[in-house]
Amino acid sequence: MDKSKQFSSEVRERAVRLVQEHRGEYPSLWAAVESIAPKIGCVPQTLLEWIKRVESVELATLEWVSWFNDHRLMEPLIVLSQNSQPPAPGEPSKIRPSVQPVPAPTRQY
């Protein structure tokens, strides 16, 4: 039986937020967890699992946002900077497209 079902998501979020807000007042994360867990009625291991889950989601979100905001947007600029001279009028572009064109399907009659 999953014991985390007895705690609502609001209680879990509040408990995690309490630990994050008061972490600096304790010598370690575990000390903060041990202090706050009994106040919400759970064992420290359960609260620590909630914290690790939230932190892993936050880390994954930050990594995605970094890719979306920086790497994805900067890729065309990196390609442009590798081609130091812009093409002359009428000359084909040296910039490689990030997406290769797909040929149109041909119909056979």
Side-chain angles (χ1 to χ4, degrees):
M1 182 175 169
D2 189 9
K3 300 244 181 203
S4 66
K5 296 290 185 186
Q6 68 182 353
F7 296 100
S8 68
S9 60
E10 291 83 12
V11 170
R12 289 190 297 251
E13 290 170 8
R14 183 164 186 245
V16 170
R17 190 172 56 249
L18 278 171
V19 172
Q20 290 172 337
E21 289 172 356
H22 297 283
R23 185 182 268 182
E25 300 170 13
Y26 296 91
S28 66
L29 172 62
W30 182 249
V33 168
E34 282 186 316
S35 173
I36 293 171
K39 295 175 184 174
I40 62 163
C42 75
V43 295
Q45 290 86 355
T46 301
L47 179 53
L48 189 60
E49 287 176 17
W50 297 344
I51 293 167
K52 287 181 179 181
R53 189 175 308 140
V54 166
E55 288 177 349
S56 70
V57 169
E58 288 176 349
L59 179 61
T61 303
L62 287 174
E63 289 172 348
W64 184 86
V65 168
S66 173
W67 170 82
F68 189 83
N69 288 339
D70 299 329
H71 304 286
R72 178 187 64 90
L73 295 173
M74 297 302 285
E75 183 178 324
L77 296 178
I78 292 169
V79 172
L80 281 174
S81 67
Q82 291 172 351
N83 301 321
S84 58
Q85 296 291 325
E91 183 180 315
S93 174
K94 296 177 185 175
I95 300 173
R96 67 176 195 270
S98 59
V99 177
Q100 297 297 324
V102 178
T106 58
R107 291 188 183 183
Q108 296 180 356
Y109 296 100

